Amino acid sequence: MSRSTPIDRVLVAIIGRALKAITDEMSVAMEKTTRSPILCEAKDFVTGLYDAEGRMLEQTENLPILSFSLGPVCRHIAEQFRGQVYPGDVFFHNDVFSFGNQNNDVAAFMPIFVGDTLVAWAACKGHQADIGGAVRGGYNPNATEVWQEALRIPAVKVHERGELRRDVWDLIFANVRLPIVEEDMRAEIGSCAVGERRLRALIEKYGLERFTAHKAALFESTRRMMESEIRSIPNGTYSGEATVYFDGRTPGSRYRIRVAITVEDERVVFDYSETDPQTDGFVNGTYTSSASATILTFLQMVDARIPHNQGIIEPIEIIIPEGTILNAAYPAATTFGNHLCPPNADAIIRALAPVIPDRVTAGWNNLLCSLSTGHDPRRRDTYVDILFMGLKGGSGATSDCDGYDHIGMIDASGGLLDQDYEMFEQQTPHLLERHEFLTDSAGAGRFRGGLGVETRYRVGGEKTQLVVFGDGDAEPAFGLFGGQDGTLNSIALHLPDGTVRKTASKEIVAAVPAGTGYVQQAGGGGGFGPPHERPAETVRREVADELISIDAAGSAYGVVIDSESGQVLEAETAARRAAMAAAASRRATED
């Protein structure tokens, strides 16, 4: 910070809000100009601003798992191309072995100059509908190395001094199947151009020296806010574990994520040194995806008003040794890495729940997802669709609030939007038949978990292939402090010949015939606190809304409801709840 520049605390706040407004505008520009439903509907992307060294100024986290993945790449580009960055340059990047998080998540970076001085970067990263590799859509459960997954794009200039490098551009998109990807990457460049224009205007308004000084003050203020949150956690080392199920190659395989969280005054260290080694399949993560998962989980436990800039991460240290399942060594397959966030989050929650019970959630529903590809005869074209509406289970409850219904996995944290039903039927040849809350899917508790959903569609089109990936069919979302677990996920195919095929959690299902009924259930989140403490009237209302069945009201919550009148039977309910409370007390004594 320049000692000669006086700091105006009001201006620090104004600049902080202005930076957030810019990344929000970048996000709107991206949403309105992309064509893939993955981007324009689900909003599977992030926008951000970074200073000349790649330190985060602000970001808009439509998909939280992407939110801390741009900074490391920006620093890498700034260092690799030092002295070779010019106004009008644009860089692309997706390479997981140079700080990328997932192959399909391709980023565009644009430098921002004031005069001849590089002052910042605008960046946008989104999940592309295809990125080459062996399988259309990018997810290849059979992959054992990165080249079987995707085209690697180390940091490369696609525009230099405002001129398109046609040879580089053509080389990239000659290795991508779908023309829509080329169009969507142009939208990313447009989003960056919005950020470049707005930030340059902001800096010119206040002057570069004044902006730089107040940027440093903003970082310092944010760091102090995070340090204050960490100080509120008792000093100590807390351990948690979670399981990753089935690596896609060895049936019954399991891997453990182990984290030791050390809190010491104003700093916190997440140490994954005891986590299991990487797999020989595609169920591995990169350091960037795993560290981003750690940060986004921890941020759910601190003051949500803290700005998201460099200062928020400075008091946090993350140790993930190379060669573990969370930081696989070259040339491992790693496409599944983003989806190791849920078990990573489970381990963190289990570690910190005993010391900050009022700031954690119960377990969130894990992911089970399908990606369909094929030929749509109506448009005479191929398509790729990730069924976002079908994968969104419920979140875990907290000490004073029910979980969110149909929110999705924790690495989406509500940022991942749903699909519009009519757009789904326009973008794919499938016919949607049902999409509704799944009765009894939420884990029971004083505060219940969020509800999951059931989704059904009729497969249409030709040459349909499903790629199934996830972990949510093996272990339900866990309850906390007496709350019950949620429910599992499943995907079943009802074939035209009458047979029913349940898919594995990682597999490619080729040649799905038209007319097949696709049925997916996404489970609910875990409950928090003893279910018999939930108000009986609340349970009655949810039975009336068919969110809870009469049987579950009695067995899980101890609320006995008359099937004819729909009213609570007070005496029977009191007796059953007294018995449940006594049983819970005995269990607590035994534990």
Side-chain angles (χ1 to χ4, degrees):
M1 185 187 307
S2 172
R3 295 183 179 277
S4 62
T5 304
I7 298 302
D8 181 343
R9 296 200 306 180
V10 174
L11 182 56
V12 172
I14 290 172
I15 289 176
R17 293 297 182 91
L19 293 171
K20 180 61 176 174
I22 293 170
T23 61
D24 284 348
E25 186 178 355
M26 293 170 65
S27 177
V28 172
M30 179 69 175
E31 178 187 1
K32 300 301 183 184
T33 55
T34 55
R35 289 191 55 216
S36 169
I38 299 170
L39 299 168
C40 65
E41 284 206 277
K43 296 183 70 174
D44 193 344
F45 66 87
V46 62
T47 55
L49 294 170
Y50 304 84
D51 70 8
E53 289 76 39
R55 295 176 297 181
M56 178 170 54
L57 297 172
E58 188 53 86
Q59 58 192 14
T60 293
E61 302 132 348
N62 296 296
L63 192 76
I65 191 63
L66 300 182
S67 56
F68 295 93
S69 65
L70 283 170
V73 179
C74 193
R75 291 191 291 274
H76 170 70
I77 293 174
E79 178 61 31
Q80 180 177 341
F81 289 87
R82 188 174 301 277
Q84 304 174 57
V85 179
Y86 312 107
D89 285 356
V90 176
F91 297 82
F92 282 175
H93 179 277
N94 81 334
D95 181 34
V96 296
F97 294 107
S98 57
F99 304 102
N101 63 294
Q102 187 191 61
N103 303 301
N104 279 71
D105 296 332
V106 186
F109 292 84
M110 181 179 291
I112 302 173
F113 284 79
V114 172
D116 295 328
T117 303
L118 174 65
V119 296
W121 298 81
C124 180
K125 175 183 279 192
H127 186 108
Q128 299 304 318
D130 185 73
I131 194 62
V135 177
R136 182 187 293 123
Y139 281 89
N140 181 9
N142 298 324
T144 60
E145 58 184 15
V146 64
W147 300 286
Q148 297 167 346
E149 297 186 291
L151 169 68
R152 292 176 63 193
I153 309 173
V156 62
K157 285 187 188 183
V158 293
H159 287 254
E160 185 165 26
R161 302 179 191 264
E163 296 294 328
L164 174 66
R165 298 182 66 184
R166 173 58 67 180
D167 55 345
V168 176
W169 186 276
D170 289 346
L171 175 64
I172 291 171
F173 292 106
N175 287 280
V176 176
R177 293 176 180 85
L178 304 178
I180 198 172
V181 177
E182 187 174 0
E183 296 158 8
D184 287 339
M185 288 307 299
R186 287 195 179 98
E188 285 198 18
I189 295 173
S191 172
C192 291
V194 170
E196 188 270 346
R197 189 162 56 245
R198 294 288 187 262
L199 183 59
R200 186 157 42 82
L202 180 69
I203 295 172
E204 289 173 347
K205 177 178 181 179
Y206 294 108
L208 180 56
E209 181 178 350
R210 198 175 184 202
F211 173 84
T212 301
H214 284 75
K215 174 194 74 176
L218 178 62
F219 287 175
E220 183 178 343
S221 172
T222 302
R223 176 181 54 79
R224 289 198 303 267
M225 294 172 72
M226 177 55 85
E227 289 173 344
S228 176
E229 291 294 302
I230 295 171
R231 279 198 306 272
S232 69
I233 304 172
N235 280 352
T237 298
Y238 313 104
S239 298
E241 294 188 6
T243 303
V244 179
Y245 294 91
F246 183 40
D247 58 12
R249 295 175 60 80
T250 306
S253 54
R254 296 185 178 190
Y255 301 83
R256 299 292 285 178
I257 293 174
R258 300 179 180 91
V259 62
I261 304 172
T262 299
V263 179
E264 185 173 357
D265 300 329
E266 298 176 340
R267 294 193 61 79
V268 59
V269 179
F270 295 84
D271 188 348
Y272 293 90
S273 296
E274 299 303 316
T275 289
D276 282 354
Q278 68 191 63
T279 79
D280 61 357
F282 94 130
V283 181
N284 294 300
T286 66
Y287 181 90
T288 300
S289 66
S290 298
S292 189
T294 300
I295 294 170
L296 75 86
T297 302
F298 187 59
L299 290 187
Q300 294 183 10
M301 303 175 187
V302 301
D303 191 339
R305 296 169 295 182
I306 302 177
H308 287 190
N309 58 51
Q310 180 67 23
I312 204 170
I313 58 178
E314 286 180 353
I316 302 172
E317 181 180 356
I318 302 171
I319 301 169
I320 312 176
E322 186 177 55
T324 61
I325 193 173
L326 294 180
N327 183 14
Y330 175 87
T334 61
T335 297
F336 195 75
N338 281 359
H339 309 301
L340 292 176
C341 177
N344 187 353
D346 287 351
I348 294 170
I349 291 169
R350 287 174 173 136
L352 293 177
V355 290
I356 50 172
D358 58 334
R359 291 158 63 180
V360 299
T361 70
W364 291 49
N365 176 252
N366 208 333
L367 173 74
L368 188 64
C369 181
S370 74
L371 179 153
S372 68
T373 69
H375 183 264
D376 187 341
R378 303 170 306 172
R379 296 188 290 121
R380 298 179 182 178
D381 200 2
T382 56
Y383 70 92
V384 172
D385 178 76
I386 298 176
L387 190 66
F388 287 111
M389 74 177 89
L391 62 83
K392 295 178 68 175
S395 79
T398 70
S399 62
D400 60 359
C401 184
D402 290 346
Y404 280 93
D405 302 327
H406 182 46
I407 191 175
M409 58 281 192
I410 197 167
D411 45 315
S413 300
L416 191 69
L417 297 187
D418 217 347
Q419 292 168 286
D420 178 89
Y421 299 158
E422 293 181 356
M423 287 298 295
F424 170 74
E425 293 182 342
Q426 289 184 30
Q427 295 286 344
T428 76
H430 310 318
L431 176 66
L432 184 65
E433 296 179 335
R434 177 184 297 178
H435 184 237
E436 60 185 33
F437 286 134
L438 183 59
T439 303
D440 291 339
S441 57
R446 180 191 310 118
F447 294 98
R448 66 160 174 82
L451 288 155
V453 294
E454 181 174 87
T455 307
R456 295 174 179 252
Y457 69 78
R458 189 69 51 184
V459 174
E462 303 162 348
K463 300 179 182 179
T464 301
Q465 174 176 280
L466 288 180
V467 182
V468 179
F469 53 95
D471 223 16
D473 63 342
E475 180 181 335
F478 60 86
L480 277 181
F481 304 109
Q484 295 183 5
D485 294 347
T487 51
L488 290 174
N489 301 353
S490 66
I491 295 175
L493 302 177
H494 295 248
L495 301 172
D497 64 6
T499 60
V500 178
R501 176 181 174 183
K502 184 176 180 181
T503 69
S505 61
K506 290 101 180 169
E507 72 165 315
I508 299 173
V509 185
V512 180
T516 296
Y518 175 97
V519 180
Q520 179 169 3
Q521 292 187 343
F528 196 109
H532 62 268
E533 296 179 1
R534 187 169 180 81
E537 175 58 21
T538 300
V539 176
R540 185 199 67 77
R541 289 198 306 269
E542 294 195 324
V543 168
D545 291 337
E546 299 183 356
L547 305 180
I548 302 173
S549 66
I550 286 182
D551 288 345
S555 61
Y557 292 96
V559 177
V560 182
I561 295 177
D562 182 80
S563 60
E564 296 294 330
S565 67
Q567 298 304 306
V568 176
L569 301 178
E570 301 289 350
E572 291 89 336
T573 295
R576 185 169 297 188
R577 290 193 144 192
M580 293 174 72
S585 179
R586 286 194 300 272
R587 287 194 297 271
T589 301
E590 292 169 357
D591 292 342

